[in-house]
Amino acid sequence: MYRLLGLLALLLAAIPAAAQDKKEVDLALVLAIDISGSIDPDEARLQRQGYVEAFRDPVIVKAILGGNHGRIAIAYFEWSDAWVQKLLIDWTLLDSEAAIDAFARRLSDAPISIARRTSISGAIRYAVPMYGRLPYEPERKVLDISGDGSNNDGGLVTDLRHDALKERIVINGLPIMNGRPNPFGFPAEDDLDKYYLHCVTGGPRSFVEVARSFEDFPRAIRKKLLQEVADIGPLNDFDIGDLGVERHGVQLAQSSRRPPRNDEDYTRFVQPEYELGCDVGERRSRDFWQRRFGVTPD
């Protein structure tokens, strides 16, 4: 009996020690990339190349290695339908120029793929458990979602956003405003930037960086990554010339410009209700398919 209790005590004592073995990182960043049917192969390549070039940029490399711990953890997956998510690179430690270069090469070498529907809610649902198996201890957790359309598949995006915010995951957005109908003839969403701001992003210091086209995407992702990695607040608030970031581009208001407290309730850091409703993507999709073919998609 005493031997059993002694063994149990040793096991319990070992749990905190194991937890303390986790290496601390400045940021745990998940990049979630839209590959729905509205994006053609050329645009998908432009997206991918934008991320590859960003991680080869000396300014981004300096920001990654210049934090309190000098390292971040990163993962990259692509998403489309509610249950279609493709993990290209699982949690990877970026703690040196060599590690960052290796990440960029892995990303560049990964195959390009395209799927069908647009489920931002599915992307969030997939991302949240990733932080639960993170092998590092982060100071901040950020989910970075980029895409060219509103949610039209799976659960309501605001419900899944709430789940992420409860886990203290900040969600930032990069809507791509390409101004053209998608390959199926679905009209361009001129209000996508406002949709992302009100319905997708959330958490302290969350923000939306707008890409005005797929050609503008490399500029937008470079600026957004720098802000996320360096945690420097809105880049428009000070002279960003020394950081090597272009001044043009659009960034929408943050939900909070101050760092969060340890006891902060992230769920309250969201923009006011969207005037068109956060189910606007689902309604537009149903109306489009009904008018065009007399049916609604499965």
Side-chain angles (χ1 to χ4, degrees):
M1 180 66 177
Y2 291 110
R3 182 178 299 176
L4 182 60
L5 290 174
L7 180 60
L8 181 60
L10 288 173
L11 290 173
L12 291 174
I15 292 175
Q20 291 172 5
D21 287 342
K22 279 191 172 183
K23 185 175 291 187
E24 293 183 329
V25 295
D26 297 306
L27 170 68
L29 177 63
V30 173
L31 301 175
I33 316 304
D34 181 6
I35 57 165
S36 60
S38 58
I39 295 174
D40 65 33
D42 289 338
E43 292 168 340
R45 278 187 283 272
L46 282 171
Q47 276 194 117
R48 179 74 62 77
Q49 192 58 33
Y51 281 100
V52 171
E53 291 175 1
F55 283 98
R56 288 175 173 165
D57 189 295
V59 176
I60 300 295
V61 173
K62 182 178 180 181
I64 291 173
L65 303 179
N68 292 332
H69 303 293
R71 52 185 176 258
I72 70 170
I74 195 163
Y76 185 109
F77 76 89
E78 296 174 336
W79 56 269
S80 57
D81 304 59
W83 296 97
V84 177
Q85 295 86 30
K86 183 178 180 182
L87 182 61
L88 268 64
I89 302 178
D90 206 349
W91 287 116
T92 300
L93 185 66
L94 303 186
D95 59 352
S96 66
E97 291 186 11
I100 299 169
D101 181 66
F103 175 82
R105 280 188 284 106
R106 288 178 64 190
L107 201 53
S108 179
D109 293 342
I112 301 291
S113 58
I114 298 295
R116 186 184 174 199
R117 305 292 301 281
T118 302
S119 182
I120 300 172
S121 58
I124 299 174
R125 176 193 52 77
Y126 179 84
V128 170
M130 293 179 65
Y131 294 92
R133 56 179 177 77
L134 176 69
Y136 308 103
E137 190 64 40
E139 289 188 358
R140 297 179 289 121
K141 297 184 289 186
V142 174
L143 172 57
D144 182 330
I145 299 179
S146 62
D148 74 338
S150 53
N151 193 79
N152 61 30
D153 191 34
L156 287 175
V157 66
T158 47
D159 291 344
L160 276 299
R161 176 179 65 178
H162 184 80
D163 292 343
L165 295 179
K166 285 195 301 183
E167 298 299 323
R168 302 174 62 80
I169 300 168
V170 172
I171 304 176
N172 295 327
L174 200 166
I176 306 167
M177 313 280 288
N178 57 23
R180 61 150 180 78
N182 73 22
F184 301 104
F186 195 89
E189 298 183 61
D190 296 332
D191 53 355
L192 186 63
D193 49 355
K194 295 179 181 178
Y195 172 84
Y196 259 73
L197 179 68
H198 290 271
C199 305
V200 178
T201 61
R205 297 167 73 90
S206 60
F207 65 95
V208 170
E209 178 67 34
V210 180
R212 289 302 177 188
S213 66
F214 279 93
E215 289 73 19
D216 183 43
F217 188 82
R219 189 275 319 161
I221 190 57
R222 180 169 173 258
K223 181 181 174 186
K224 187 156 78 81
L225 276 174
L226 178 60
Q227 182 169 326
E228 288 168 334
V229 170
D231 194 28
I232 53 180
L235 288 175
N236 295 335
D237 278 2
F238 58 90
D239 188 351
I240 60 177
D242 293 339
L243 296 173
V245 179
E246 300 87 339
R247 288 181 177 277
H248 63 281
V250 179
Q251 182 184 71
L252 301 187
Q254 295 185 316
S255 57
S256 169
R257 294 192 177 186
R258 60 173 176 74
R261 302 189 308 268
N262 290 333
D263 61 346
E264 201 87 67
D265 175 13
Y266 279 27
T267 61
R268 70 186 184 89
F269 287 100
V270 294
Q271 293 294 327
E273 185 176 347
Y274 186 38
E275 59 183 4
L276 298 180
C278 287
D279 63 342
V280 63
E282 289 86 344
R283 288 187 281 108
R284 284 172 173 168
S285 180
R286 287 194 300 268
D287 292 345
F288 172 77
W289 291 106
Q290 184 66 41
R291 287 196 311 270
R292 185 165 184 178
F293 300 108
V295 298
T296 54
D298 295 333

